[in-house]
Amino acid sequence: METPSPSHNNNMITVTEPLISNKSNPKVPKGGFRALPFIVANSAFEKVASFGLLPNMILYLTREYRLEAATGANILFFWSAATNLMPIIGAFLADSYVGRFPMIGFGSVVSLLGMFLLWLTTVIPQARPAPCVQFSDSCPSATTLQLLFLYSSLGLISIGAGGVRSSSLAFGADQLGKERTLKMHKSERASSAASPIYVKSSLPKSSLLTRFAQVFVAAYKNRSIPSSTQATNEVYHSRKDTLLLAPIDQVEELKAIIKIIPIWSTGMMMSVTISPGSFPVLQATTMDRHITSKFEVPAGSFGVFMVISIFLWISLYDRVIIPLASKLKGKPVRFSLKQRMGIGILLSSTSMAALAMAESIRRETAIREGFSDDPNAVVHMSALWLLPYHVLGGLAEAFNAIGQNEFYYTELPKSMSSIAVTLAEMGFSAAYIVASFIMTSVDSLTKRGGEESWVSSNINRGHYDYYYWLLASLGLVNFSYYLFCSKAYGPCRGEGYNNPDEATREMTID
């Protein structure tokens, strides 16, 4: 086996070798596919815990904490926003200061603590409002301390998600490289069951934020110096001492992140239109959820159909759909990254239109059956009417969200890999804040003059269908905006070449 060659520089150890070996067993290499199950399992358990909570939380907030539907939806919007914002902060810290492995470990511990506190709200009676007094119309509301305890648990879950999600994908990619250079402080020690088999990548010399700041400072300092295409070497050298120059790679990093912002904003708006909060769960509770006479699907589990549609599309796309389409066309067929993102945006608008039509029929049925004042009554209408929304929404996510991740990872420099894979989640965070603003505005405007709000807690008196049509319309506007941004952006890397070899050379050079 090749002997590693260490070199010392500023109390750092640089080790370069084809595969980093375990000290306990030099024949066993670090990294590789055997490290991936640990990473995948850790990430999966974190997401199952948080995603599994979200659908049912609206019922927990409205029934146990006795909050209004709009208030409960706002809490969940902000919780989702924080959960999707934390990975971008975690990615910055992981890329600039901490490293990916310690960040994942920190996130796992904090996420577990948040889950434990949320569990305590269900087992400690004093942690939530007291039950309603029998034969009384008044029910005690949640106190400030009770809400603070609840918010603390949700906040810790969000922080933990930021640690795990920000680095898991990039950390998994680190395990598959064949040649790696590791820089480790002598005093650094990390421990976990699978730690000895992980490859831990080096930290950059400066933080991403510092590099961006250097570019802005250099641009500001040089703003008064005129540029000239006719400048000679003598002119350049005469000005060299007065110029503040930034490294070209820092400039390119900033240019790349600025260039993708318009397309990023279209993905953000798609998340606004496809995420009507937890209202579909409220709809499902009032519909017949029986698949058979003895099997009933829980209201919060209908989101599984969206996950199934995503999984099926991803599984069939490369192995069935693309080969079949290529065979029918007689030539290779493949959707480009920008085509996939555009299709996803259009499908998101279609999914909301399907949900609006289902809600319109459900509401008319409830009123016809005399349930106008009973929002908890179950109408004679199958909850399977909600399936088109979930299936189309899943396809929209499969096209757009996955396309976004590939787009960012391809277009941004490799030094920004953790940032690249979390930009979509940053878009989700911004989307939930915008969605909260839209929902709050709709609630405030539609209940003026004593009218029933579109998003009333009494789902049979409200007009959730109008709210969904509004989101569907915003989706169509966003699709038009995306077409403009896509055309202005130009070809992605690997696109716009005369032959594949040119694209391959360009990707290799980059």
Side-chain angles (χ1 to χ4, degrees):
M1 186 177 72
E2 185 177 327
T3 303
S5 56
S7 62
H8 299 268
N9 183 18
N10 297 330
N11 293 328
M12 304 280 285
I13 299 177
T14 302
V15 182
T16 304
E17 57 183 4
L19 287 172
I20 309 302
S21 304
N22 279 327
K23 293 180 180 179
S24 58
N25 188 355
K27 295 183 179 180
V28 180
K30 279 192 175 184
F33 284 99
R34 70 188 190 120
L36 295 186
F38 298 97
I39 301 172
V40 172
N42 184 69
S43 179
F45 287 146
E46 182 276 323
K47 289 190 175 182
V48 166
S50 56
F51 288 161
L53 283 173
L54 185 60
N56 291 304
M57 280 300 294
I58 187 65
L59 301 179
Y60 188 58
L61 294 177
T62 55
R63 295 178 180 179
E64 296 295 330
Y65 282 82
R66 289 186 278 279
L67 300 175
E68 293 291 324
T71 303
N74 256 337
I75 292 174
L76 297 183
F77 274 136
F78 283 113
W79 179 37
S80 298
T83 302
N84 287 283
L85 175 64
M86 289 301 170
I88 201 71
I89 299 176
F92 166 71
L93 295 175
D95 279 355
S96 304
Y97 301 107
V98 182
R100 291 165 189 159
F101 178 71
M103 180 59 66
I104 294 174
F106 168 78
S108 300
V109 173
V110 175
S111 181
L112 177 63
L113 178 60
M115 290 292 178
F116 178 72
L117 292 183
L118 185 60
W119 172 72
L120 289 181
T121 66
T122 67
V123 298
I124 300 178
Q126 292 77 15
R128 60 185 188 276
C132 296
V133 180
Q134 191 174 12
F135 306 117
S136 174
D137 293 334
S138 63
C139 295
S141 303
T143 65
T144 302
L145 288 177
Q146 289 170 339
L147 291 175
L148 183 61
F149 190 76
L150 174 68
Y151 297 157
S152 299
S153 66
L154 298 179
L156 288 173
I157 293 173
S158 296
I159 294 173
V164 175
R165 299 179 193 179
S166 64
S167 301
S168 292
L169 185 57
F171 187 56
D174 290 342
Q175 311 309 308
L176 302 180
K178 292 184 178 180
E179 294 186 4
R180 304 176 177 90
T181 299
L182 303 186
K183 291 186 178 180
M184 300 169 288
H185 287 281
K186 294 179 180 179
S187 60
E188 179 179 333
R189 295 291 183 269
S191 62
S192 91
S195 178
I197 69 172
Y198 290 146
V199 170
K200 305 174 181 92
S201 60
S202 62
L203 295 177
K205 295 180 180 179
S206 62
S207 73
L208 187 65
L209 190 60
T210 301
R211 301 199 294 273
F212 284 173
Q214 289 173 344
V215 176
F216 281 118
V217 170
Y220 180 79
K221 291 284 187 180
N222 301 330
R223 72 190 187 282
S224 60
I225 300 176
S227 60
S228 174
T229 56
Q230 304 297 326
T232 63
N233 289 335
E234 290 77 8
V235 174
Y236 169 77
H237 288 292
S238 67
R239 295 179 177 176
K240 187 175 180 181
D241 293 336
T242 63
L243 290 173
L244 180 60
L245 302 178
I248 188 64
D249 59 335
Q250 295 182 10
V251 177
E252 292 302 318
E253 286 176 349
L254 184 58
K255 286 170 58 180
I257 200 75
I258 293 175
K259 186 179 180 182
I260 67 172
I261 286 177
I263 289 184
W264 171 84
S265 66
T266 64
M268 181 269 291
M269 283 306 301
M270 192 208 83
S271 299
V272 171
T273 58
I274 204 174
S275 302
S278 300
F279 296 147
V281 178
L282 297 179
Q283 288 176 258
T285 59
T286 67
M287 302 171 76
D288 182 8
R289 304 188 304 276
H290 284 89
I291 303 298
T292 66
S293 58
K294 296 183 179 180
F295 180 73
E296 184 179 36
V297 180
S301 297
F302 273 82
V304 172
F305 293 108
M306 184 176 290
V307 177
I308 291 174
S309 64
I310 295 174
F311 175 77
L312 289 177
W313 177 260
I314 294 174
S315 302
L316 298 176
Y317 178 73
D318 284 319
R319 298 180 180 178
V320 177
I321 297 174
I322 292 300
L324 182 60
S326 300
K327 185 177 180 180
L328 294 175
K329 292 278 290 185
K331 61 180 180 178
V333 175
R334 196 169 194 87
F335 291 119
S336 68
L337 290 178
K338 291 194 291 185
Q339 285 175 336
R340 279 187 277 165
M341 289 189 287
I343 292 172
I345 293 174
L346 190 59
L347 286 175
S348 69
S349 178
T350 307
S351 71
M352 290 311 305
L355 185 59
M357 288 187 285
E359 169 58 17
S360 179
I361 297 172
R362 189 213 62 81
R363 183 177 181 275
E364 291 177 1
T365 303
I367 294 174
R368 185 173 61 251
E369 294 178 357
F371 296 138
S372 297
D373 297 319
D374 188 2
N376 297 319
V378 178
V379 301
H380 290 86
M381 178 179 175
S382 175
L384 295 181
W385 278 82
L386 300 177
L387 281 187
Y389 157 71
H390 290 291
V391 172
L392 291 172
L395 292 176
E397 290 282 357
F399 273 102
N400 187 273
I402 296 175
Q404 277 191 73
N405 277 316
E406 293 183 25
F407 175 75
Y408 302 142
Y409 201 81
T410 301
E411 297 298 300
L412 294 179
K414 295 303 179 186
S415 59
M416 303 172 66
S417 57
S418 289
I419 297 292
V421 298
T422 53
L423 271 174
E425 293 192 348
M426 186 178 181
F428 294 150
S429 177
Y432 286 120
I433 295 176
V434 174
S436 174
F437 171 76
I438 293 174
M439 192 271 295
T440 303
S441 300
V442 168
D443 182 49
S444 300
L445 293 174
T446 57
K447 67 181 181 183
R448 288 182 177 178
E451 297 291 331
E452 194 76 31
S453 169
W454 283 5
V455 290
S456 170
S457 294
N458 186 338
I459 192 173
N460 295 332
R461 284 191 173 275
H463 266 290
Y464 285 77
D465 51 342
Y466 293 173
Y467 176 62
Y468 298 152
W469 281 120
L470 173 63
L471 295 180
S473 301
L474 290 176
L476 291 178
V477 173
N478 185 45
F479 179 69
S480 301
Y481 171 59
Y482 173 79
L483 294 179
F484 172 79
C485 293
S486 178
K487 184 177 181 180
Y489 186 89
C492 299
R493 293 189 184 185
E495 297 178 2
Y497 298 96
N498 294 327
N499 58 68
D501 291 337
E502 294 182 19
T504 302
R505 284 199 298 271
E506 178 72 15
M507 295 295 288
T508 304
I509 292 172
D510 290 342

